[in-house]
Amino acid sequence: MKKHTVITIGRQFGSGGHEVGLKLSSRLGIPVYDRSLIQMAAGELGVSREKAEEADETVLGRFFSGHKAEELSYTELPPDEEQAVPLSDQMYQIQSEIIRRVAKREPCIIIGRCADCILEDVVPCLNVFVYAEIGDRIERIRKLYNLNEEEAWEKIRRVDRARKEYYEVHTGNTWGGIESHQMIFNISLMDMQDVIDVLAAMYRARR
């Protein structure tokens, strides 16, 4: 029996990558996992959503320094060591486990959270990265968060830096690099609907 395909979407902040994921989910009729993973992880860790959100997609704490994602498992830690692990690291590990579970269970779209690396050799994946020109990103974030241009640029700079550090520390790969993505889209040069059309066609060709 042919294995199902999972689509992973990495994205620059303000590029429209999240919107691509939501619209593609609607087009294909498959679930999308994005910030819903925070609530799922919070429930399994027994912490509030607020605490989980604070720790989500933040840079590694001291426990995992120097280790790649697959080398350690949260579920294998003895109880006394679990207490010493920073919440950000616990969030990464439990989200990784959830990502593997949902990916094995059904075709889906997963946005961010190093899913391309986490699912390597787990299920067939279509790994995508979405970016855009800075002017378009500033305009999108300015409207979305009701910010002025300077505030929008600062938010973009801060979030992109956090995502880059999060991805590269956990995976050892370059964030947005060609080595871990089959397709990279500049949404400023390609209509979003065309991007969705291409991804939908690629997904259906793999079924």
Side-chain angles (χ1 to χ4, degrees):
M1 182 177 178
K2 188 175 180 180
K3 287 186 176 181
H4 60 258
T5 296
V6 170
I7 300 172
T8 74
I9 301 179
R11 73 287 185 221
Q12 288 182 326
F13 187 60
S15 65
H18 188 263
E19 186 177 351
V20 167
L22 294 178
K23 290 184 175 180
L24 186 61
S25 170
S26 179
R27 169 79 70 87
L28 297 175
I30 60 177
V32 59
Y33 294 94
D34 46 14
R35 296 189 66 79
S36 58
L37 289 166
I38 301 173
Q39 184 65 49
M40 295 166 73
E44 296 200 17
L45 287 171
V47 300
S48 68
R49 183 185 179 93
E50 291 72 21
K51 285 188 177 180
E53 287 179 338
E54 288 177 5
D56 181 58
E57 286 197 307
T58 57
V59 180
L60 287 173
R62 57 189 171 82
F63 183 76
F64 285 125
S65 298
H67 296 276
K68 289 186 69 176
E70 66 274 13
E71 293 176 352
L72 296 165
S73 172
Y74 169 76
T75 56
E76 295 173 355
L77 292 173
D80 58 332
E81 289 189 32
E82 287 181 15
Q83 301 304 316
V85 179
L87 182 57
S88 58
D89 293 340
Q90 294 184 49
M91 279 292 293
Y92 176 78
Q93 285 305 111
I94 201 66
Q95 283 192 89
S96 296
E97 292 165 16
I98 292 169
I99 285 169
R100 293 186 190 100
R101 288 203 304 265
V102 300
K104 289 177 182 178
R105 185 177 66 216
E106 61 186 349
C108 58
I109 298 167
I110 302 174
I111 299 176
R113 291 160 181 81
C114 305
D116 58 318
C117 183
I118 291 167
L119 295 178
E120 187 177 9
D121 300 324
V122 176
V123 295
C125 288
L126 184 57
N127 299 319
V128 178
F129 192 85
V130 177
Y131 72 107
E133 304 302 329
I134 188 60
D136 293 335
R137 295 167 64 199
I138 289 173
E139 184 64 12
R140 177 185 291 273
I141 294 304
R142 187 185 67 78
K143 291 179 178 178
L144 187 61
Y145 292 94
N146 193 28
L147 303 174
N148 62 41
E149 187 171 315
E150 183 178 349
E151 291 169 335
W153 161 239
E154 175 58 27
K155 189 173 183 67
I156 288 169
R157 187 191 64 80
R158 185 173 64 254
V159 174
D160 271 0
R161 181 177 61 195
R163 286 181 179 175
K164 176 180 170 65
E165 291 176 347
Y166 179 88
Y167 182 88
E168 294 184 356
V169 171
H170 281 292
T171 70
N173 295 333
T174 301
W175 184 59
I178 60 174
E179 69 273 12
S180 52
H181 299 93
Q182 291 100 327
M183 291 185 287
I184 300 176
F185 294 98
N186 183 340
I187 211 83
S188 296
L189 301 180
M190 191 174 181
D191 184 81
M192 184 179 291
Q193 191 58 53
D194 291 339
V195 172
I196 294 167
D197 290 344
V198 169
L199 291 176
M202 287 290 294
Y203 172 82
R204 287 168 176 153
R206 289 173 170 236
R207 297 183 65 181

